[in-house]
């Protein structure tokens, strides 16, 4: 029987293979929501979904794509942003 | 639209938002670009053309691009290869000198000395027995 605390769904369940081949149930803390784009709201790619403590120990380059607005805007929104910016400039010229 | 000398803004990748000039139009839907960005081949889908043209010859060198962009206050990025740093040479290890400093090495040297003395004793015994 699982422990009482493991019967509620506060902890997520992870199946792990033991060295002997048996599949065991592990209980882990739940992950936070994935990072999302600031303008369209889709989940960002290249941004890991981890607990703050794990994120703290990760290098900066592992936490976001290496481009302007990396980790803030999705690539589509970033492109459209720079496109509109360029068109403003070209109109002024 | 993408001819040599056309000013454009890069809108994708790590050079996004930087101004560049088209230096050459290559085969296979590619364009050579130089300027604030590094000099590189680019898909024109990743460029947004600006209304300006700069006088440039096809395949102009980086220095020419630099000169052409100076009056427009566009700083070019110099991408010269770094001179490789000198490799640290492997130094030969002098075991005798190490033995002076390292306590571990000292022990080993003592062991070796013991072995040698034993060998000598054996040899001396053998020689005595022969006599």
């Amino acid at each position: 029987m699982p422990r009482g605390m493991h019967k509620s769904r506060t902890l997520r369940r992870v199946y792990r293979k033991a060295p002997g081949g048996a599949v065991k149930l592990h209980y882990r803390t739940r992950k936070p929501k994935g990072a999302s784009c600031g303008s369209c709201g889709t989940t960002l790619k290249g941004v890991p979904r981890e607990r703050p403590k794990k994120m703290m120990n990760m290098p900066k380059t592992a936490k976001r794509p290496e481009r302007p607005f990396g980790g803030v805007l999705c690539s589509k929104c970033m492109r459209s942003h720079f496109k509109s910016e360029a068109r403003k400039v070209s109109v002024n010229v | 639209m993408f001819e040599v000398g056309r000013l454009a803004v890069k809108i994708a990748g790590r050079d996004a938002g930087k101004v560049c000039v088209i230096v050459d139009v290559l085969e296979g839907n590619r364009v050579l670009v130089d300027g604030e960005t590094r000099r590189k081949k680019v898909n024109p889908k990743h460029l947004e053309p600006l209304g300006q043209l700069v006088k440039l010859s096809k395949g102009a060198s980086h220095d020419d691009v630099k000169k052409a962009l100076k009056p427009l206050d566009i700083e070019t990025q110099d991408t010269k290869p770094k001179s490789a740093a000198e490799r640290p040479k492997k130094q030969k290890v002098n075991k005798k000198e190490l033995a002076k400093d390292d306590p571990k090495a000292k022990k080993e040297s003592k062991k070796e000395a013991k072995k040698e003395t034993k060998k000598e004793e054996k040899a001396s015994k053998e020689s005595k027995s022969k006599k």
Side-chain angles (χ1 to χ4, degrees), chain A residues 37 39 67-69 73-87, chain B residues 9-14 16-17 43-48:
Chain A
C37 173
S39 75
R67 62 169 123 86
F69 296 106
L73 294 181
C74 68
S75 69
K76 265 186 190 175
C77 291
M78 191 266 307
R79 281 179 201 201
S80 63
H81 168 83
F82 281 118
K83 234 181 210 180
S84 61
E85 205 102 306
R87 282 178 190 175
Chain B
V9 177
K10 200 130 189 296
I11 58 171
R14 63 170 174 174
N43 189 334
K45 275 184 184 173
H46 299 170
L47 293 173
E48 184 63 25

Side-chain angles (χ1 to χ4, degrees), chain A residues 39-89:
Chain A
S39 75
C40 69
T42 51
T43 50
L44 291 178
K45 282 169 182 174
V47 181
R49 194 183 156 198
E50 289 294 347
R51 298 220 120 213
K53 193 153 193 191
K54 247 192 172 177
M55 294 287 265
M56 222 167 66
N57 292 333
M58 254 186 252
K60 221 173 195 178
T61 48
K63 288 187 280 199
R64 52 167 175 58
E66 286 269 311
R67 62 169 123 86
F69 296 106
V72 179
L73 294 181
C74 68
S75 69
K76 265 186 190 175
C77 291
M78 191 266 307
R79 281 179 201 201
S80 63
H81 168 83
F82 281 118
K83 234 181 210 180
S84 61
E85 205 102 306
R87 282 178 190 175
K88 269 184 217 166
V89 171

Side-chain angles (χ1 to χ4, degrees), chain B residues 6-126:
Chain B
R6 168 73 63 194
L7 274 181
V9 177
K10 200 130 189 296
I11 58 171
R14 63 170 174 174
D15 287 330
K18 288 179 178 173
V19 181
C20 55
V21 185
I22 290 159
V23 177
D24 202 349
V25 180
L26 306 170
E27 272 179 31
N29 201 26
R30 284 287 152 106
V31 144
L32 221 202
V33 137
D34 201 351
E36 273 184 354
T37 66
R38 291 153 301 141
R39 187 185 179 94
K40 59 187 196 174
K41 293 168 206 160
V42 161
N43 189 334
K45 275 184 184 173
H46 299 170
L47 293 173
E48 184 63 25
L50 295 174
Q52 264 178 313
L53 270 170
V54 175
K55 265 194 181 177
L56 266 183
S57 57
K58 195 181 171 186
S61 67
H62 181 69
D63 292 329
D64 292 338
V65 173
K66 217 176 182 179
K67 273 179 200 168
L69 294 184
K70 231 187 179 180
L72 299 171
D73 278 346
I74 295 169
E75 275 187 29
T76 51
Q77 207 183 82
D78 296 327
T79 50
K80 276 184 184 173
K82 283 178 191 172
S83 56
E86 263 190 46
R87 271 190 172 182
K89 277 181 187 174
K90 265 192 181 178
Q91 285 180 340
K92 278 190 179 178
V93 181
N94 198 338
K95 279 184 182 175
K96 277 182 185 175
E97 280 185 15
L98 267 182
K100 278 179 193 172
D101 307 327
D102 253 348
K104 267 189 186 177
K106 251 186 191 177
K107 272 184 188 174
E108 280 175 14
S109 64
K110 269 186 186 176
K111 272 183 190 173
E112 279 174 17
K114 267 188 183 177
K115 272 184 190 173
E116 278 176 19
T117 49
K118 270 185 183 178
K119 269 183 189 175
E120 279 173 17
E121 279 173 14
K122 263 189 182 178
S124 62
K125 271 182 187 176
E126 277 175 13

